[in-house]
Amino acid sequence: MKLYQPGDTSNAICPDCGKLVSTTFAYRDVPFDDGTGVVKGILAAVCDECEAVVSIPAQSTPAIRRAREAADIPLEVSIPAPEIEIIDAAAYRIDPDATTRLRKSLFAFYLQRLRHDESAAGMLRREFETWNAAKIEQRNRVGKAVRIPQRRLSFKISPKTDRDVQWLMKAIGMNKTDTVRSVIMEIERDLLAPKAPNGLRHLQDIAAVVNA
Ligand SMILES: [Zn+2]
C-alpha cells in the first residue's frame, strides 16, 4: 500500500469539474456517504481547480471506520418497569458487579443471535404476542390497583446495532418498542428461566471484556 503524504500530487476525474484534473493530497473533513456524520481531518485527494474532495486513499479507511463507530445512535423506548428488571436481573446473573454497559451488550448479543437465526426470528412475533398476553392477564388478575409504571430504556448503539434493530423490526413487522420488548423476552427465556443457563459462561467472558 502506498502511503501518501500531504502535498503529494496525483490525477483523478473530478465529478464537480467533470474532467480529469490534477489533485493534491490534504487533510479535509469528509461527510459519510449516507450523510449521517463527518469524518474529521482525513487525508484526501483534493481537486486543484475546485477544491472538491475527489478521492480518499486506502490509508484513510481505518480513520473512517473509527469515526463511523463513534457515531452512536440513541435507542429509546418506554416499556413496562418489570421488563427493565428482567434485563437488570439477567445482567446481575452474569456478573453481580455489572455496569449499565452490560445491559446494552446483552441487548446487542441477543439481537445479533436473532439476526443469525432466521427461524427463531420468524417465530418471534407470535411468541412475543403470547408472552405479552400472559403478562397482561397476570396484571388483570392482580387487579387494577396494581399500576405498572412505564420506564425509559435508553442506549447509545452503534450504527451496526441500529441496522440490526431495523432489520428485526422489518422481519417481524413490529414497532421499535415491541421489537425491543421481544429481545427482552428472549433474554428472560434464555438467562432467567433456566436453572443453569447454557450460554452463561460465554456471556461472563463477554462481561469481563465489556466491564474492563
Ligand atoms: Zn474539481
Side-chain angles (χ1 to χ4, degrees):
M1 184 172 94
K2 177 170 164 47
L3 280 183
Y4 292 96
Q5 303 294 326
D8 283 354
T9 55
S10 185
N11 295 296
I13 303 286
C14 173
D16 289 10
C17 297
K19 60 176 183 180
L20 186 70
V21 296
S22 63
T23 61
T24 304
F25 284 87
Y27 287 95
R28 288 284 183 277
D29 296 344
V30 178
F32 295 147
D33 308 336
D34 56 7
T36 54
V38 173
V39 201
K40 294 233 184 242
I42 55 161
L43 197 65
V46 179
C47 172
D48 287 340
E49 295 184 27
C50 75
E51 291 271 300
V53 169
V54 173
S55 73
I56 294 168
Q59 74 202 65
S60 295
T61 308
I64 296 171
R65 193 167 297 145
R66 275 195 302 278
R68 278 192 186 281
E69 282 166 3
D72 281 353
I73 296 162
L75 173 76
E76 283 201 6
V77 291
S78 188
I79 62 176
E83 293 169 25
I84 298 275
E85 288 157 21
I86 288 172
I87 202 164
D88 283 343
Y92 186 84
R93 187 160 199 191
I94 293 165
D95 177 4
D97 296 322
T99 62
T100 47
R101 262 190 291 177
L102 186 57
R103 269 186 179 186
K104 179 171 85 170
S105 307
L106 206 50
F107 176 78
F109 175 84
Y110 280 91
L111 184 63
Q112 184 69 217
R113 217 173 66 160
L114 287 162
R115 184 83 171 87
H116 290 269
D117 184 353
E118 283 196 29
S119 72
M123 291 184 295
L124 196 64
R125 183 181 180 145
R126 182 174 295 176
E127 288 170 355
F128 172 75
E129 283 165 353
T130 307
W131 183 77
N132 194 34
K135 298 247 178 233
I136 291 168
E137 200 201 300
Q138 188 187 6
R139 253 169 256 162
N140 289 342
R141 222 180 305 129
V142 293
K144 296 269 189 293
V146 182
R147 204 180 61 82
I148 307 283
Q150 295 285 114
R151 287 273 150 74
R152 205 166 60 104
L153 183 68
S154 169
F155 297 139
K156 287 277 230 167
I157 56 174
S158 67
K160 192 204 157 293
T161 300
D162 185 59
R163 282 195 297 277
D164 287 346
V165 172
Q166 304 294 336
W167 173 85
L168 188 59
M169 283 171 68
K170 213 172 154 201
I172 64 181
M174 298 202 297
N175 64 26
K176 190 172 275 180
T177 301
D178 284 348
T179 301
V180 169
R181 293 179 68 209
S182 66
V183 175
I184 292 173
M185 171 189 76
E186 280 287 296
I187 294 172
E188 182 185 45
R189 293 198 304 193
D190 203 59
L191 277 179
L192 294 187
K195 270 209 166 66
N198 275 331
L200 195 59
R201 183 67 237 154
H202 179 48
L203 285 164
Q204 281 166 340
D205 289 342
I206 293 175
V209 176
V210 170
N211 288 328

